[in-house]
Amino acid sequence: MKPTLLLVEAPGPHRALLALAFQSQGWRVLLAAGVEPLVRALRESPPVHLVLAAGGLLASAGPLDVLREALTAAGAALWVEAPPAEQEAVRRLAVPVAGFLAPSLSLGQRVEAVRQALPSQAREADDGRTLPRVLVAEDDPVYRKLLRLALAPFRFELMEAEDGMTALELARRRPPDIVLADVLMPRLDGFRLCLALRQDPKLARVPVILTHATAPDELDLRMAANVGANGFVRRAQGDDELVATLLRESREQGPLPAPVPGELSTEPHLYAMVRQLERRVGLLEQAERTARESEERYRLVVSGSYDGVWDWDVRNQRMYWSPRLLEMLGMKPEDFPGTSEAFLARVHPEDRDEVASALARHLEQGTPYDVSFRLRHEAGGYRSCVSRGRAIRDAQGRPVRMAGIIGDVTEQLRLYREAREAVRVRDEFLAVAAHELRTPLAALRLRVQGTAAALKHEHPVAPERLERALVAADRQVQRLADLVEGLLDVSQMQSHAPRLNLEDVDLGQVVRDVVLRSEEMAARAGCLLVVRDVASAVGHWDALRLGQVVTHLLVNAVKFGPGRPVELEVRADADSAFLVVRDHGIGIAPDRVDGLFRRFERAVPARNYGGLGLGLYRLYRIVEAHGGEVAVTSTPGQGATFRVRLPRAGPPARPA
């Protein structure tokens, strides 16, 4: 039994084309324009195997109880053509829908879908019929393959030829039911092939459809009419126009235009086509030059950029990394497999989920892709990076490609952290400096105010009391002077090395003088200054600056080791002199040793121990200016040992 389809759709070109496509397969096609004609056809017509209805007609109809009964009684399968947004509305109608067809399907895809939806007995009855034989004359193998795919659902018998002469020979051996011929082919073009078929009595009534890559102009249409062609269609990938023309012409087989007798003169037309091709070739060459220039500019920008460039083929899951990006990570081109999985594998585990989520959000929702993460370097360790990218989408809004940049900001982050740390240290220093300056000022003010108040009374003030007050005030003034001098000195040392007044100086004598001046200060702290070995060590140095070095070391030793001895030692060899100062105080934590000689650096909290944190920095700069070195070793809780080495010849000569 021949398969019977009931097509339910409003009258128009689309319904006519669908009916023509289904009839080309030998199926009986019944038409209905609404639900009522559909029910009537199910009750009165021959058995219907399949109903294909437009979703809009069903959704706008009234109660569908009668339709349900008619479908059940006829045993017909209902298929609905509706976009995904309307399919849910159709399901809510409670109609027994066997399946859905998307409106975006091509003509061939609809035919194949209906064939698969037919009952098996109807498909078996359909297999024995004879289908039209189609001759395709086309010299472009790619378009021949596209035509083969477009016509495959119709199950026509295809014959293919790559030039007009071969097509004519095939037609004479096995006459086709219809011919598709390209107007530009070697040996025999489409116009001459059509003329030759019209002049052959056996092939004169075979429909011929001419095709070309561009839309036909007036001259093309006049030539097609002169040679007796049934139509001239512009070929386009995915377009149903050519298939529809083929179906109409294969069915009608009406009277054909009479060809011009004799040999047709096509030279003017061919000359015009050659001129048109020349113009198009010129445009293609210009476009190619522009593309090459754009590509060259792109390469220059990429090669000159400090950022790495990546390009991701989303459909094929292939990823490209530019040479700069590979260089940033210490990689060679062969080290990167070129997949998104390989990229995510190099992202730090703590950042991986965030990067994958950002990519997914951008591809699915269009959220901007702007992320920070760490990438593993080939030599080990991670580089801090920022990445931005954007997806390119097709006509349906699906992402097909994504490209962007990756910048290495490791150095910038390091500088930022250092700057932030410098600001923190500066703020802490200002707070400590204010405290350090305020303390002697407050003590000095109290002494002065007390002395002034005593002098106002009529009772005489004992000279001894007045002397003690003045000595205490002088001590606070000296402390203020030392603080201010230290600040000014550090300010100068920051911009250039300290100025030195070089002369022959005995380091041993400098140490003895400083120890003598510091005994009172050490005694107040309960410290005993032990001078173990103080050899004579004469060198070309600045005596005042060396005195500051020894003083800084002694003050530090007494401050952090009160009540315990402080040992000093001076040694010398032929080239260098060595100063060693050892205390038995609280010591220095191992993680604080490396930065001990930096400005404002402290080994202990400022709230527990006073000072500006500048003494060891000044010491280091002075020793450095003399061409020497200073080092420290310490064990927490057991004290610290500072070692200073000074070249006896003095600082190295500076370049002029």
Side-chain angles (χ1 to χ4, degrees):
M1 180 185 295
K2 180 182 293 188
T4 301
L5 277 66
L6 181 52
L7 186 58
V8 185
E9 190 167 342
H14 183 256
R15 188 177 79 168
L17 182 57
L18 283 179
L20 183 62
F22 296 147
Q23 289 169 351
S24 72
Q25 303 303 294
W27 303 335
R28 182 185 293 110
V29 179
L30 305 177
L31 302 176
V35 174
E36 292 183 5
L38 163 60
V39 173
R40 189 164 52 250
L42 287 173
R43 291 173 175 172
E44 301 174 0
S45 300
V48 175
H49 297 95
L50 186 142
V51 177
L52 179 59
L57 289 179
L58 294 180
S60 61
L64 299 176
D65 296 338
V66 178
L67 174 59
R68 298 188 196 97
E69 296 173 0
L71 287 170
T72 304
L78 174 62
W79 282 72
V80 178
E81 179 183 305
E86 295 181 7
Q87 292 178 9
E88 186 60 33
V90 173
R91 290 191 183 94
R92 288 196 295 267
L93 298 175
V95 179
V97 178
F100 290 94
L101 295 182
S104 59
L105 293 179
S106 67
L107 202 58
Q109 290 171 331
R110 293 170 189 272
V111 169
E112 185 60 31
V114 170
R115 178 181 288 111
Q116 298 303 320
L118 287 171
S120 57
Q121 63 271 20
R123 288 201 302 270
E124 292 172 0
D126 186 39
D127 289 340
R129 64 188 178 83
T130 302
L131 293 174
R133 180 183 298 132
V134 180
L135 172 60
V136 176
E138 171 63 59
D139 63 326
D140 185 353
V142 175
Y143 189 65
R144 281 205 309 272
K145 183 175 181 180
L146 292 175
L147 266 179
R148 194 182 311 131
L149 293 174
L151 297 177
F154 298 93
R155 302 192 178 182
F156 296 147
E157 180 185 349
L158 290 183
M159 300 188 301
E160 298 181 10
E162 60 184 17
D163 60 68
M165 188 61 71
T166 305
L168 182 60
E169 294 171 357
L170 277 176
R172 286 170 176 169
R173 288 200 302 269
R174 298 184 62 194
D177 296 302
I178 192 166
V179 176
L180 295 176
D182 183 17
V183 295
L184 290 180
M185 288 187 297
R187 300 177 67 189
L188 197 66
D189 62 49
F191 293 115
R192 291 178 181 274
L193 171 60
C194 184
L195 181 62
L197 292 173
R198 293 290 174 262
Q199 292 175 346
D200 188 325
K202 295 181 180 180
L203 303 173
R205 298 194 63 80
V206 174
V208 178
I209 301 174
L210 299 178
T211 66
H212 191 44
T214 59
D217 55 20
E218 183 180 354
L219 185 58
D220 292 325
L221 296 176
R222 187 169 65 250
M223 286 291 297
N226 288 342
V227 298
N230 295 72
F232 198 130
V233 182
R234 176 187 177 185
R235 67 191 192 199
Q237 180 179 350
D239 194 354
D240 288 340
E241 181 183 357
L242 180 59
V243 176
T245 304
L246 184 149
L247 294 175
R248 283 192 293 267
E249 296 301 331
S250 64
R251 181 183 180 186
E252 292 177 0
Q253 294 195 1
L256 302 175
V260 177
E263 183 68 21
L264 180 69
S265 177
T266 59
E267 282 75 11
H269 175 67
L270 293 178
Y271 175 76
M273 293 185 67
V274 168
R275 295 298 299 168
Q276 187 179 22
L277 286 174
E278 287 177 350
R279 288 196 300 272
R280 289 175 181 165
V281 168
L283 292 174
L284 285 174
E285 289 178 347
Q286 181 179 356
E288 184 180 1
R289 285 195 302 270
T290 304
R292 281 200 305 267
E293 292 172 359
S294 298
E295 184 178 359
E296 184 62 27
R297 283 195 297 270
Y298 170 77
R299 286 192 181 130
L300 286 173
V301 169
V302 170
S303 61
S305 172
Y306 289 101
D307 294 327
V309 176
W310 53 271
D311 190 343
W312 182 23
D313 184 347
V314 179
R315 288 179 172 174
N316 298 319
Q317 290 297 304
R318 300 294 301 169
M319 182 173 279
Y320 161 79
W321 278 10
S322 69
R324 170 58 185 155
L325 180 51
L326 294 170
E327 178 188 348
M328 280 167 44
L329 300 176
M331 298 171 63
K332 298 178 181 178
E334 59 269 18
D335 296 333
F336 181 58
T339 63
S340 56
E341 290 80 6
F343 158 63
L344 288 174
R346 283 200 168 262
V347 177
H348 194 284
E350 296 177 1
D351 305 335
R352 197 169 297 154
D353 289 344
E354 181 183 353
V355 174
S357 299
L359 283 171
R361 287 195 301 270
H362 180 74
L363 294 177
E364 296 170 5
Q365 306 170 15
T367 305
Y369 177 73
D370 189 347
V371 291
S372 302
F373 51 85
R374 290 161 287 179
L375 278 178
R376 177 166 48 84
H377 195 276
E378 193 70 9
Y382 286 86
R383 308 293 293 176
S384 298
C385 301
V386 294
S387 181
R388 298 179 181 86
R390 187 173 181 180
I392 300 174
R393 303 175 185 274
D394 59 15
Q396 286 75 37
R398 294 170 298 194
V400 296
R401 183 178 177 186
M402 186 174 177
I405 62 169
I406 293 181
D408 185 350
V409 295
T410 305
E411 183 64 17
Q412 290 91 323
L413 279 178
R414 183 187 67 81
L415 294 175
Y416 169 72
R417 293 191 186 103
E418 289 183 356
R420 189 171 60 180
E421 178 63 16
V423 171
R424 184 196 65 79
V425 171
R426 181 205 63 187
D427 293 342
E428 182 179 322
F429 164 74
L430 291 175
V432 173
H435 173 74
E436 289 293 318
L437 291 170
R438 192 181 298 117
T439 300
L441 278 174
L444 177 60
R445 184 177 183 183
L446 287 174
R447 292 291 183 183
V448 172
Q449 287 178 346
T451 304
L455 291 175
K456 285 182 180 180
H457 294 298
E458 297 180 356
H459 302 289
V461 180
E464 295 81 6
R465 180 182 175 185
L466 185 59
E467 181 181 2
R468 286 195 302 272
L470 291 176
V471 169
D474 181 67
R475 187 183 304 117
Q476 299 304 327
V477 171
Q478 184 61 45
R479 184 177 175 185
L480 282 172
D482 292 342
L483 287 171
V484 173
E485 180 187 355
L487 288 172
L488 292 174
D489 205 13
V490 167
S491 176
Q492 294 174 355
M493 289 180 180
Q494 186 178 356
S495 58
H496 55 77
R499 296 182 176 87
L500 303 178
N501 296 318
L502 300 176
E503 57 182 339
D504 290 337
V505 178
D506 185 353
L507 179 58
Q509 186 59 48
V510 171
V511 170
R512 284 189 289 270
D513 293 342
V514 172
V515 168
L516 186 62
R517 292 196 303 268
S518 305
E519 285 181 344
E520 182 181 352
M521 178 263 302
R524 286 198 302 269
C527 293
L528 176 64
L529 301 183
V530 180
V531 182
R532 295 199 175 277
D533 294 313
V534 179
S536 176
V538 178
H540 201 56
W541 303 313
D542 185 321
L544 180 60
R545 290 296 190 181
L546 286 189
Q548 292 174 345
V549 169
V550 179
T551 301
H552 285 315
L553 292 176
L554 278 180
V555 169
N556 260 17
V558 169
K559 179 191 296 185
F560 298 111
R564 300 182 181 182
V566 176
E567 304 170 16
L568 295 94
E569 180 181 351
V570 175
R571 293 182 291 103
D573 59 21
D575 299 321
S576 303
F578 302 90
L579 168 64
V580 180
V581 178
R582 183 181 298 106
D583 66 70
H584 301 275
I586 62 174
I588 304 170
D591 60 332
R592 310 292 299 212
V593 171
D594 290 341
L596 197 60
F597 297 103
R598 291 199 292 262
R599 271 190 320 149
F600 313 132
E601 193 67 33
R602 297 175 176 278
V604 293
R607 63 179 178 271
N608 297 332
Y609 295 89
L612 299 177
L614 298 175
L616 291 178
Y617 172 73
R618 293 177 68 193
L619 179 151
Y620 178 83
R621 293 287 283 160
I622 293 171
V623 173
E624 181 185 47
H626 281 85
E629 300 168 350
V630 58
V632 59
T633 57
S634 178
T635 302
Q638 299 181 20
T641 301
F642 287 82
R643 293 178 173 84
V644 177
R645 184 194 67 82
L646 295 169
R648 300 182 70 167
R654 296 180 182 177

